[in-house]
Amino acid sequence: MDRQRPLVERVTTAVLAMLLTVFGAGAAQDPPAPAPTPEAEPLENRPYRIEVHLASDPDARLDSARREELVARWLEMVRRFVGPAWSIKLAERPSPLVGRDLERLKAEDLGGFDTAFDKIWLVWASVDAESASLVFSGREYDASTRWLGPLQRRRATSSLDGPRALFQFTRDLFSPSALIVGQEGGRALLKVQGASIPPASDLGAVAVKGTTFIPLRLITMRDQSIQINRIAFTYLAVESVEGATARCAIVSAYRDPLSQRFARPNTLAAIGIKSGDVALRLRFVDKTTKDSAAGYTLTERPAPDGAVRVVGMTDRSGRITVEPGPTRGVVKLRLLAGDSEPLAEFPIMPGESAEERVITVDPLPLAARYQVQLDALRDAIVDQVALRGRLERLMQVRLEGEDWAGLQALLKQYDLLPPPSSFAETLKRLKDEATKLSYESAKTTVLTRNLQAEFSELEGLIDGYLGDDAYKSFAEALRDKKKNEAEAPKERKEAPAAPPAATPSVKGSGAGGS
């Protein structure tokens, strides 16, 4: 009867059972998950069955009485603020893996937990050496996907603040699970486990706007086992929640990361992720030679379009550390050669894992070489634009003040500047060389999109800001002044002489007058 069911339905049913009930089905060598009955509880109505392994450092002084009181008050807060979405059981004997080295744990180190639980919380209570306050640290292990979440930490300000700090800490630990049911308008649609269970308060909502998921591809192998692969450099950010369906923006380094064009039957699932209290460690290597990519600049900006910040420069081994920022969310990292030629760009969440991630890049040596030359040419052009603008303002002042000698001196300084044609010729020569190399070199890219944009930008800069119109107008004004001064004496020389003024006669009494 089962063989007559459609293949996709059988795969989806098996995957759903694996996600919700089966521990350890994530490895290819594990046995296939049993299919649930058609009457199985819908995913959106199923609460999260959580087993808590709480252990403490002796310095924390959590004896049995204080421990019971702490747990009882914490469970009361869970009941008041979260509600039935969390079905919690405290392990009678905490796992020996709970301790100071939680950060070094790996998913493959975990096993032997009760298969009836969806989530395993490994919680360690210790004391801060400086403030003597109680500190909770721990990680969440998702049994169905074998995903080990990042290390989370939360400090209690006082002994009375312990239950509240533990509640906030477990909210940091919790990550929802979901199935990706389709795409619509460039957005992913997720059916979230427990999303239809009414929360006791807004704090108990399973998924809200801003919740981040990582997508997983669950592949049915030939032996009917399930292999789980994370879709790299891809995140799903919840934009809205309607009922049990979350509508998510897709932030990815790939064009179509959720494509169903896949050789084997597969289903897409997702698990929530939060930034932990650990630094992200990256190592960049040359994809061809496997040498370290040293001396490259790494920048970050909050996704999707935040402000760019320089993280730093890769060291001799190509390594760099990215600390979780104030947003504690997904960021877009970009590795630059020559401070502007992008070698790699991808989204990632700082704090999602303490393990070092190795990323291969093409160093683009030829493109980087031309990028450096273009940067130097741009600096020279910008300097010329600034110097020409300063001289033009001074010449305007001299012209308005009729300081012709000062204007002439400034024009002589202007004449000593490199002509715009020299920059245009240099730019054309570099572009012709790069174009020729791009046809001759088959192993590496020369004219990248960024480099082509740089050439176009510099051409516009030269044409728009290095013109001689201002110089010509000032020079013409000076010539007109000199011409007027030369013509003025000539006009005075050729002008007719004015007749002498008549001498008035004086009437007076003569010698013989009487």
Side-chain angles (χ1 to χ4, degrees):
M1 183 66 178
D2 184 73
R3 293 184 178 180
Q4 297 177 359
R5 297 166 61 197
L7 177 60
V8 174
E9 180 182 350
R10 285 190 280 122
V11 170
T12 303
T13 303
V15 168
L16 180 58
M18 182 277 307
L19 275 174
L20 303 177
T21 61
V22 178
F23 166 73
Q29 66 272 19
D30 293 335
T37 62
E39 294 79 20
E41 190 174 14
L43 177 67
E44 60 270 22
N45 295 331
R46 183 183 292 272
Y48 292 88
R49 294 162 296 191
I50 304 169
E51 184 177 47
V52 181
H53 291 253
L54 174 61
S56 62
D57 190 294
D59 294 338
R61 297 182 179 180
L62 279 179
D63 55 24
S64 58
R66 291 186 61 189
R67 185 174 184 272
E68 289 179 5
E69 181 184 3
L70 173 67
V71 171
R73 294 176 61 187
W74 165 64
L75 289 176
E76 176 61 21
M77 297 186 73
V78 171
R79 185 190 65 80
R80 289 173 52 195
F81 296 107
V82 177
W86 290 5
S87 177
I88 295 176
K89 178 186 176 182
L90 196 68
E92 296 181 1
R93 299 182 62 183
S95 170
L97 296 174
V98 182
R100 296 185 180 89
D101 294 332
L102 282 174
E103 186 174 344
R104 300 180 182 179
L105 276 183
K106 296 184 179 180
E108 51 267 26
D109 299 333
L110 304 178
F113 297 109
D114 191 342
T115 59
F117 293 99
D118 302 317
K119 309 278 187 182
I120 306 297
W121 286 352
L122 308 174
V123 182
W124 176 250
S126 60
V127 174
D128 184 75
E130 296 182 358
S131 63
S133 57
L134 189 63
V135 178
F136 297 104
S137 57
R139 304 178 74 175
E140 178 186 86
Y141 177 67
D142 188 82
S144 59
T145 61
R146 289 195 170 185
W147 174 261
L148 182 61
L151 181 71
Q152 303 286 354
R153 285 193 183 95
R154 178 75 65 165
R155 178 181 289 103
T157 56
S158 67
S159 58
L160 298 177
D161 189 49
R164 187 200 64 83
L166 181 57
F167 176 69
Q168 294 289 353
F169 168 74
T170 50
R171 289 188 66 233
D172 295 339
L173 275 185
F174 173 72
S175 296
S177 303
L179 286 176
I180 302 176
V181 295
Q183 296 186 61
E184 183 180 279
R187 301 293 188 267
L189 303 179
L190 274 61
K191 180 177 288 188
V192 184
Q193 179 181 346
S196 292
I197 300 176
S201 71
D202 292 341
L203 296 178
V206 173
V208 296
K209 181 178 179 181
T211 302
T212 304
F213 290 84
I214 55 173
L216 307 170
R217 190 178 296 276
L218 298 93
I219 307 168
T220 304
M221 309 305 290
R222 294 185 182 275
D223 60 357
Q224 296 303 305
S225 63
I226 303 296
Q227 177 179 316
I228 302 178
N229 294 337
R230 176 180 176 179
I231 301 178
F233 302 119
T234 302
Y235 299 84
L236 309 177
V238 175
E239 294 181 332
S240 62
V241 180
E242 298 179 2
T245 302
R247 185 181 181 89
C248 304
I250 303 173
V251 183
S252 178
Y254 305 105
R255 181 174 299 177
D256 187 14
L258 305 182
S259 173
Q260 287 292 349
R261 296 189 295 271
F262 209 77
R264 298 206 57 78
N266 67 96
T267 299
L268 295 173
I271 187 167
I273 188 170
K274 297 174 183 177
S275 178
D277 195 21
V278 292
L280 178 68
R281 297 185 296 121
L282 303 174
R283 182 170 184 253
F284 295 94
V285 298
D286 189 318
K287 70 176 184 179
T288 303
T289 64
K290 304 304 178 184
D291 293 335
S292 300
Y296 293 95
T297 302
L298 185 69
T299 65
E300 73 167 16
R301 60 184 176 91
D305 298 309
V308 177
R309 180 183 75 89
V310 176
V311 177
M313 185 173 291
T314 57
D315 61 15
R316 293 181 179 181
S317 60
R319 291 183 169 88
I320 192 169
T321 300
V322 183
E323 298 289 344
T327 58
R328 302 185 73 86
V330 178
V331 299
K332 289 187 176 180
L333 297 183
R334 174 179 283 190
L335 189 69
L336 303 175
D339 292 335
S340 56
E341 180 63 50
L343 304 183
E345 184 174 6
F346 52 90
I348 204 165
M349 179 180 284
E352 72 172 49
S353 175
E355 298 181 7
E356 183 178 83
R357 302 183 67 172
V358 178
I359 300 173
T360 59
V361 297
D362 183 355
L364 302 174
L366 296 179
R369 186 183 76 185
Y370 282 103
Q371 183 65 61
V372 171
Q373 296 183 63
L374 288 183
D375 289 343
L377 181 60
R378 178 189 288 101
D379 292 342
I381 293 174
V382 171
D383 289 343
Q384 287 298 310
V385 171
L387 186 55
R388 286 168 179 260
R390 174 178 172 275
L391 290 176
E392 288 170 4
R393 288 191 296 272
L394 291 175
M395 286 189 288
Q396 182 66 35
V397 172
R398 300 295 187 273
L399 178 64
E400 293 174 354
E402 297 186 357
D403 182 4
W404 304 108
L407 178 60
Q408 185 173 8
L410 291 174
L411 285 172
K412 290 181 178 179
Q413 293 184 38
Y414 207 101
D415 285 333
L416 298 177
L417 298 179
S421 59
S422 64
F423 297 102
E425 291 171 359
T426 301
L427 183 64
K428 184 177 183 303
R429 175 179 58 79
L430 291 175
K431 189 173 184 179
D432 291 343
E433 289 179 1
T435 303
K436 182 180 179 181
L437 277 177
S438 65
Y439 286 109
E440 296 176 349
S441 178
K443 294 183 178 181
T444 182
T445 305
V446 181
L447 271 177
T448 62
R449 286 184 297 178
N450 182 74
L451 202 60
Q452 295 179 40
E454 293 280 346
F455 277 114
S456 300
E457 180 185 347
L458 290 183
E459 288 175 354
L461 195 61
I462 293 172
D463 295 339
Y465 293 93
L466 289 184
D468 287 335
D469 294 340
Y471 171 82
K472 292 177 180 178
S473 63
F474 288 119
E476 184 177 356
L478 182 62
R479 285 195 299 270
D480 292 343
K481 176 62 178 175
K482 290 182 176 180
K483 181 179 179 182
N484 292 336
E485 289 179 349
E487 292 178 350
K490 184 177 180 181
E491 291 177 355
R492 288 195 297 270
K493 184 177 180 180
E494 294 178 353
T503 303
S505 57
V506 179
K507 293 183 179 181
S509 56
S514 59

